[in-house]
Amino acid sequence: MALSAVKRSQGHALIIEDEILIALEVEALLAAQGYSSFDIADSPQEALTCALARAPDLITADFRIIGGTGLEAVEAIEAKLGRIPTVFVTGNANQLADARRTIVDKPISPRRLAEACQQALDRRA
């Protein structure tokens, strides 16, 4: 899939990542895909607070974050807001063995992230 194939106005993304440089890299890659606004959270509680303040159209989440896991954060958000397309961007893919999860390994491949975002959005439809 060409990166341009998924470039369109996608809306708001929540990036759950406790390493700011990686969060900014993900933000730039999502902006290239057409996302226009972002929240960055480094803990499950901050992620939930951000999501409740502005519901995301897409979530990216690292597995290990401050005070818990990205999986815990996503589950708490979905318990309040319902299912949201999610891509786990992590160096701990083995912790997310569930086949229903869309995973991108670190270091991040821009092409793989674009494909994973499209897969997550397609699952919602």
Side-chain angles (χ1 to χ4, degrees):
M1 170 188 311
L3 289 177
S4 60
V6 295
K7 188 171 184 173
R8 58 185 177 273
S9 180
Q10 299 284 5
H12 182 68
L14 172 59
I15 300 166
I16 304 171
E17 172 63 64
D18 60 355
E19 297 287 338
I20 191 63
L21 292 178
I22 294 172
L24 293 173
E25 177 185 9
V26 171
E27 180 178 327
L29 293 171
L30 293 177
Q33 292 182 44
Y35 286 87
S36 57
S37 64
F38 306 90
D39 282 319
I40 297 173
D42 65 5
S43 70
Q45 184 56 49
E46 185 179 11
L48 180 59
T49 299
C50 288
L52 293 176
R54 182 164 184 194
D57 299 298
L58 176 81
I59 297 172
T60 66
D62 191 4
F63 182 73
R64 290 186 182 161
I65 57 174
I66 295 171
T69 68
L71 181 59
E72 292 168 345
V74 170
E75 288 173 346
I77 291 165
E78 289 185 339
K80 297 280 187 182
L81 300 177
R83 191 168 179 325
I84 297 171
T86 300
V87 175
F88 286 90
V89 180
T90 184
N92 301 98
N94 59 329
Q95 301 290 328
L96 297 163
D98 184 339
R100 297 178 304 127
R101 308 220 183 269
T102 305
I103 301 168
V104 174
D105 286 315
K106 291 179 182 174
I108 303 165
S109 157
R111 177 175 298 281
R112 177 63 189 120
L113 181 61
E115 291 170 350
C117 289
Q118 189 59 53
Q119 288 171 353
L121 291 167
D122 290 346
R123 284 188 181 155
R124 176 182 62 181

